[in-house]
Amino acid sequence: MAPNQSISEAATSPVDKRAAERLVAEHPLWYHTMELAPGVVTPGWFDLRGVVDSLPWPDVRGKRCLDVGPYDGFLSFELERRGAAEVLAVDIGSHEDWEWPPHATSGGADLGELTGAEVGTGFAIAKSVLGSNVERLVLSAYELAPDAIGTFDVVVCGSLLLHLRDPLRALESIRSVCREWFLSSEQIRLGLSLRHRRRALAELNGADNLCQWWIPNAAGHRQMVFAAGFEIVRSTRPYAEPYGPAHPPRPRSLEALRRRALQRVAIGGEGVPHAALLARPAGS
């Protein structure tokens, strides 16, 4: 992967509604549900719009900000909407660049066939429709370094660490470019979080076709960030990251329905259990 390869486009004026609808409809798979124009909503797998204001945001107005692993760019464009002076989004360049487990029966080629487009296509469409100034750079989380991209007042990272073989190494790289604030929102194991509220634990997978490695409990998420050199300032309780309209149907077995009912009682909604925190580099 070329560290300085960029697929970002120059900012443009927002396109008209009919053109926006056509661009959204032509993209085969959206990860994020986003309203790009009045009445123009991407049919994503996940819909963060109802939970984004509950995240422990720092004040990003006038700040230089970085979004690590943006995919379609929901958090990148949210930073811009909140008044960031500059937003850079960094992500891998192709589906083959995911850290696929060696025993996975499918990989980048199959994921590319499923999505029907190159990584970053949805981001580029959203940027064009929004008329955004956010820039996207092809760079992995492991490659973050001050001499490559400088440093940032605010760094955000959402739902990425579970896909990394070495999340602590990635967090240390994030720490190297973070001057003030780090907002981390990650998938957690709800059962482990409820049974072990203070003990840091994580589940190791590394054997499926979802490219998932480590999924911690909420305490484990906090400990991972702390171990990478951050001071935790505040954190949320576990919450559900809601499914979007295009998410594949969930299992309907009695056991699956029971688990979903228990989750609604525990965290108040259906979706993927997450926890979020706000941290700052230790000693800053």
Side-chain angles (χ1 to χ4, degrees):
M1 180 190 312
N4 293 322
Q5 179 187 0
S6 174
I7 66 168
S8 62
E9 302 174 352
T12 59
S13 299
V15 301
D16 65 70
K17 182 177 180 180
R18 182 173 298 179
E21 291 173 336
R22 176 181 56 79
L23 288 169
V24 168
E26 288 176 351
H27 187 51
L29 189 147
W30 289 93
Y31 181 84
H32 287 130
T33 303
M34 300 179 284
E35 185 170 17
L36 303 183
V40 181
V41 179
T42 63
W45 278 33
F46 297 98
D47 189 350
L48 281 66
R49 293 176 296 169
V51 298
V52 65
D53 287 335
S54 299
L55 299 181
W57 289 97
D59 184 357
V60 306
R61 291 173 296 179
K63 303 290 188 177
R64 185 174 195 242
C65 300
L66 174 69
D67 182 10
V68 183
Y71 211 81
D72 289 334
F74 181 93
L75 293 177
S76 305
F77 303 123
E78 179 66 17
L79 285 165
E80 186 174 55
R81 188 186 72 82
R82 288 173 176 262
E86 177 187 352
V87 181
L88 175 67
V90 296
D91 209 343
I92 56 176
S94 73
H95 299 296
E96 285 76 15
D97 291 333
W98 287 49
E99 293 192 295
W100 294 102
H103 301 292
T105 57
S106 63
D110 289 338
L111 184 59
E113 183 177 345
L114 171 66
T115 62
E118 291 295 323
V119 174
T121 303
F123 185 102
I125 293 171
K127 173 178 174 172
S128 174
V129 174
L130 291 167
S132 171
N133 287 304
V134 174
E135 293 293 333
R136 183 182 184 276
L137 182 70
V138 174
L139 197 72
S140 82
Y142 300 130
E143 297 171 305
L144 299 175
D147 60 353
I149 56 173
T151 58
F152 297 81
D153 303 304
V154 177
V155 181
V156 301
C157 181
S159 304
L160 174 67
L161 298 182
L162 76 157
H163 296 302
L164 302 180
R165 187 194 305 259
D166 192 348
L168 281 176
R169 178 184 161 206
L171 286 167
E172 289 171 349
S173 296
I174 289 173
R175 167 66 179 83
S176 75
V177 298
C178 180
R179 288 197 297 261
E180 296 182 12
W181 296 109
F182 174 45
L183 172 60
S184 174
S185 170
E186 290 294 336
Q187 181 175 338
I188 58 167
R189 281 288 178 250
L190 183 59
L192 289 178
S193 298
L194 297 176
R195 292 193 297 271
H196 304 280
R197 296 180 183 273
R198 297 184 180 180
R199 184 182 181 189
L201 299 170
E203 175 185 291
L204 173 62
N205 189 337
D208 67 14
N209 295 326
L210 299 176
C211 196
Q212 294 183 356
W213 290 90
W214 297 95
I215 303 181
N217 64 352
H221 175 220
R222 295 191 297 270
Q223 186 65 23
M224 289 167 69
V225 174
F226 174 81
F230 289 93
E231 172 190 351
I232 311 300
V233 176
R234 64 180 185 269
S235 58
T236 69
R237 300 181 63 180
Y239 63 92
E241 183 173 288
Y243 298 116
H247 195 281
R250 272 75 72 198
R252 301 289 298 177
S253 67
L254 288 177
E255 177 60 23
L257 293 173
R258 185 187 70 85
R259 286 198 303 268
R260 296 216 294 272
L262 290 174
Q263 177 174 308
R264 286 195 297 270
V265 172
I267 58 177
E270 287 198 33
V272 179
H274 273 64
L277 60 81
L278 182 66
R280 59 189 175 196
S284 63

